[in-house]
Amino acid sequence: MGLSTRTLGRSGIEVSALGMGCWAIAGPWAEGGTPLGWGPVDDGESIRAVRRALDLGVTLFDTADTYGAGHGERLLGRALAGRRDEAVIATKWGYTFDERTRQATGTDATPAYLRRAVRDSLRRLGTDRIDLYQLHLADLPVPRAQALVGALEDLVADGLVRAYGWSTDRVDRATALGRDAPHAAAVQHTLSVLRDAPDLLAVCDKYDLASINRGPLGMGLLTGKYTPASTLPRDDVRGVTSGWLEWFRGGRPAPEWLRRVEAARAALTADGRTLAQGALGWLWARSDRAVPIPGCRTVAQVEENTAALARGPVRA
């Protein structure tokens, strides 16, 4: 029943079947007055969480240069110090930011910025290579993304990047990646028991790409800790109204999604798993390419999520 590793698409890179999403541990940053982080964090606990994940067999850690306006990468680098060779680091580029003010400042999809961004990420992470480098601009037009492939291939040839991918929910973008990019290895996209993505999984199958699952726990909804009366603080990205954030509305869990969580609860917990563990097991049953990356901020969250590995896929 248990599950331990999967392959990162056609790269051949072996990763744990469960990754750790590192957005939540990156700390505050904002676009103007709108928060983009998950509120204040305890860096010490975050480092302990990353190291505990390593101890429990998690090897894939997913972050982005913009998380915490660079702080997320620095923190992950600190946590992996002395253990870098045990980890597979995935990060992203495409959004610009001011590290001093912790403000998002826009986007840049030029090859020149890509070359600069990868070196900045290497410096912050304290490493000599990035295992999976992902374009963070989900809706970038395909021709502009294709114009980046040459620079990405150069980075692979130089040994700075082992493989690359695209964080996008757009099927045409994922298709272009798989079809046109020689060292593409993964698509990062939304996938959970609440939000299936059959068309994207089909692209991953066709082009031998890993399916890295962002939002596998519905930004916390599938932990079961939220009720209709729950409120999120204003310094948490989930606590503000946002057109792209569907799980929460007006600082509260969206009622229609809470109803869907309750509808799935019995099936996901029937064999004694927690709700979160059942949601992760559903993903492994959904596709042998699926690598969920739930966000964790504490050692306790890491331990609960990694316990799902021993139980393996949820069998309907």
Side-chain angles (χ1 to χ4, degrees):
M1 282 289 292
L3 191 69
S4 57
T5 63
R6 288 195 162 172
T7 303
L8 203 61
R10 60 198 189 213
S11 72
I13 299 170
E14 186 177 273
V15 297
S16 52
L18 178 73
M20 177 175 168
C22 299
W23 178 10
I25 65 173
W29 93 106
E31 184 175 22
T34 302
L36 296 174
W38 293 50
V41 293
D42 177 343
D43 284 353
E45 179 67 7
S46 298
I47 289 171
R48 287 188 290 272
V50 170
R51 292 176 179 169
R52 183 60 174 151
L54 272 176
D55 292 341
L56 294 173
V58 172
T59 62
L60 177 64
F61 297 88
D62 179 83
T63 188
D65 58 2
T66 193
Y67 293 167
H71 183 70
E73 287 186 330
R74 286 196 198 86
L75 184 71
L76 183 59
R78 287 169 55 196
L80 296 177
R83 303 184 67 177
R84 171 63 182 94
D85 290 342
E86 299 175 49
V88 174
I89 294 178
T91 192
K92 311 177 194 76
W93 95 96
Y95 288 102
T96 60
F97 51 92
D98 185 316
E99 294 192 45
R100 182 183 60 82
T101 62
R102 287 201 172 191
Q103 281 286 317
T105 58
T107 64
D108 193 329
T110 63
Y113 181 73
L114 161 60
R115 295 185 184 97
R116 184 165 71 251
V118 72
R119 295 184 183 279
D120 287 344
S121 286
L122 289 167
R123 172 178 49 78
R124 285 187 293 262
L125 288 161
T127 186
D128 61 352
R129 80 276 186 195
I130 292 168
D131 299 297
L132 180 66
Y133 201 39
Q134 301 159 104
L135 177 60
H136 207 171
L137 305 178
D139 297 324
L140 189 70
V142 168
R144 294 184 63 193
Q146 290 170 324
L148 296 168
V149 171
L152 286 164
E153 288 294 313
D154 289 344
L155 295 176
V156 172
D158 291 342
L160 301 181
V161 168
R162 296 177 69 193
Y164 51 86
W166 198 341
S167 179
T168 182
D169 290 329
R170 300 285 294 268
V171 172
D172 60 337
R173 271 66 170 175
T175 298
L177 175 77
R179 183 188 63 220
D180 302 332
H183 284 88
V187 177
Q188 183 173 145
H189 62 94
T190 301
L191 184 67
S192 73
V193 70
L194 300 176
R195 174 69 74 192
D196 200 1
D199 291 344
L200 280 162
L201 289 174
V203 171
C204 291
D205 284 338
K206 181 175 182 178
Y207 294 106
D208 192 12
L209 302 171
S211 165
I212 298 180
N213 311 142
R214 95 170 87 82
L217 301 181
M219 296 186 80
L221 287 186
L222 283 162
T223 66
K225 66 183 180 182
Y226 291 111
T227 72
S230 299
T231 58
L232 281 298
R234 297 291 298 175
D235 59 0
D236 187 319
V237 66
R238 298 169 296 173
V240 295
T241 301
S242 174
W244 57 267
L245 199 160
E246 63 182 336
W247 313 112
F248 296 84
R249 188 164 57 248
R252 292 181 180 274
E256 64 270 26
W257 290 110
L258 283 178
R259 288 193 292 269
R260 295 188 191 192
V261 170
E262 288 309 307
R265 183 186 293 272
L268 296 177
T269 60
D271 62 357
R273 304 172 197 240
T274 67
L275 182 60
Q277 291 164 357
L280 295 172
W282 182 90
L283 289 164
W284 293 321
R286 179 68 183 86
S287 170
D288 61 7
R289 297 181 179 276
V291 183
I293 51 168
C296 303
R297 284 200 278 188
T298 67
V299 169
Q301 289 171 339
V302 165
E303 291 175 343
E304 178 178 359
N305 290 344
T306 54
L309 287 166
R311 291 183 173 271
V314 169
R315 300 301 181 186

